[in-house]
């Protein structure tokens, strides 16, 4: 081999060893490994934190909504009604009510609303010295009180009493009604609601057949409810329409006016009548 070529080869090796080399591939692989090591953000945790911040800001909080407030009020009223029907008629404080209805997690603002507005203005809640009790339509203690109420309605011509009102105001009403037996009469209305009447046994007497025939001979097919009610009012007898289903009156439509009203325009310069001239047809000819 040529000795000149050997010398050049040795010089090339020395230059190569003395010059440091940097591999670009290794750098790219290292940077890629660093990118892979970056922690991933958990979408669920981020969404959960977002919801928590929204709820903390008051954008979506069930316990502060109006529906939750009135739901608590309805639960309290139903509880007070149930305990009254079971015979627990003693009054309770608001803290006792919240404890028994398991509503201890309400806020102070809602508690203040119950004390100052909701319970005080509710027609089914009676308030006495900061305590609360159920307020039925008829406050009946026992079966004797129920019988007196039905007798009073019968004497005054007020008719019967709804079974729903009796069950609401009389503790253990089913037991009391069963004990009265034939002293009361049940009548079912067309809307399936039952009415209790006093069974006045003094009015149970035999009627002669001749009077029965006269009674049945009077035709009432042509008489509607309005005419019967009008006749009863003239005789000083009140009907039972208050306890019956209420009639919904049709909404009367307002009649449109036939012709439009003539509009009167205000005139000006009345004091110059006869002085001013009309130029609508051109310049007037001088006389």
């Amino acid at each position: 081999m040529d000795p000149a070529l050997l010398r050049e080869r040795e010089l090339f090796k020395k230059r190569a060893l003395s010059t440091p080399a940097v591999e670009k591939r290794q750098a790219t692989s290292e940077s890629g490994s660093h990118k892979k090591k970056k922690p991933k953000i958990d979408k669920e945790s981020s969404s959960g934190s977002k919801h928590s911040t929204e709820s903390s800001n008051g954008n979506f909080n069930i316990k502060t909504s109006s529906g939750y407030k009135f739901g608590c009020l309805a639960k309290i009223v139903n509880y007070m009604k149930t305990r009254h029907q079971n015979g627990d008629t003693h009054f309770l404080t608001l803290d006792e009510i919240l404890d028994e209805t398991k509503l201890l997690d309400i806020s102070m603002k809602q508690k203040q609303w119950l004390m100052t507005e909701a319970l005080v203005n509710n027609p089914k809640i009676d308030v006495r010295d900061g305590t609360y009790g159920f307020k039925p339509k008829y406050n009946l203690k026992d079966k004797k009180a129920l019988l007196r109420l039905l007798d009073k309605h019968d004497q005054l011509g007020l008719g019967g009493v709804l079974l729903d009102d009796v069950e609401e105001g009389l503790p253990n009403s089913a037991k009391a009604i069963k004990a009265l037996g034939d002293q009361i009469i049940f009548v079912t209305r067309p809307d399936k609601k039952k009415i209790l009447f006093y069974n006045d046994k003094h009015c149970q007497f035999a009627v002669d057949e001749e009077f029965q025939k006269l009674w049945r001979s009077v035709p009432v097919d042509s008489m509607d409810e309005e005419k019967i009610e009008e006749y009863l009012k003239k005789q000083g007898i009140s009907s039972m329409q208050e306890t019956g289903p209420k009639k919904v009156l049709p909404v009367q439509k307002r009649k449109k006016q036939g012709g439009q009203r003539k509009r009167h325009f205000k005139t000006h310069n009345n004091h110059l009548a006869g002085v001013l001239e009309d130029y609508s047809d051109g310049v007037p000819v001088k006389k």
Side-chain angles (χ1 to χ4, degrees), residues 153-159 227-241:
H153 275 239
D154 183 62
Q155 295 294 331
L156 298 176
L158 301 175
K227 290 182 179 179
I228 294 173
E229 186 180 355
E230 184 180 354
Y231 176 78
L232 291 173
K233 285 183 178 179
K234 289 180 180 179
Q235 302 300 321
I237 302 172
S238 60
S239 62
M240 284 183 57
Q241 213 167 30

Side-chain angles (χ1 to χ4, degrees), residues 12-13 83 97 196 205 247 249 251 262 269:
F12 177 79
K13 285 182 179 181
R83 66 185 296 274
I97 294 172
L196 274 65
F205 52 85
K247 296 179 181 179
L249 297 175
V251 179
K262 293 182 179 180
N269 300 329

Side-chain angles (χ1 to χ4, degrees), residues 2-18:
D2 191 0
L5 292 173
L6 292 172
R7 284 195 300 270
E8 289 181 5
R9 181 184 176 190
E10 292 296 329
L11 291 172
F12 177 79
K13 285 182 179 181
K14 289 179 180 179
R15 285 197 301 269
L17 291 173
S18 62

Side-chain angles (χ1 to χ4, degrees), residues 43-102:
K43 293 182 179 180
E44 293 181 0
S45 61
S46 62
S47 62
S49 61
K50 184 178 179 181
H51 287 299
S52 62
T53 53
E54 287 180 357
S55 61
S56 62
N57 292 332
N59 294 332
F60 183 73
N61 197 342
I62 298 175
K63 292 184 180 180
T64 58
S65 62
S66 60
Y68 179 77
K69 285 167 56 177
F70 288 102
C72 294
L73 176 61
K75 186 175 182 180
I76 290 172
V77 174
N78 289 333
Y79 170 75
M80 298 299 287
K81 177 182 177 180
T82 303
R83 66 185 296 274
H84 183 88
Q85 291 173 337
N86 293 333
D88 297 332
T89 57
H90 62 279
F91 282 53
L92 298 174
T93 62
L94 181 58
D95 292 332
E96 291 173 339
I97 294 172
L98 295 176
D99 186 20
E100 295 188 14
T101 53
K102 298 179 181 180

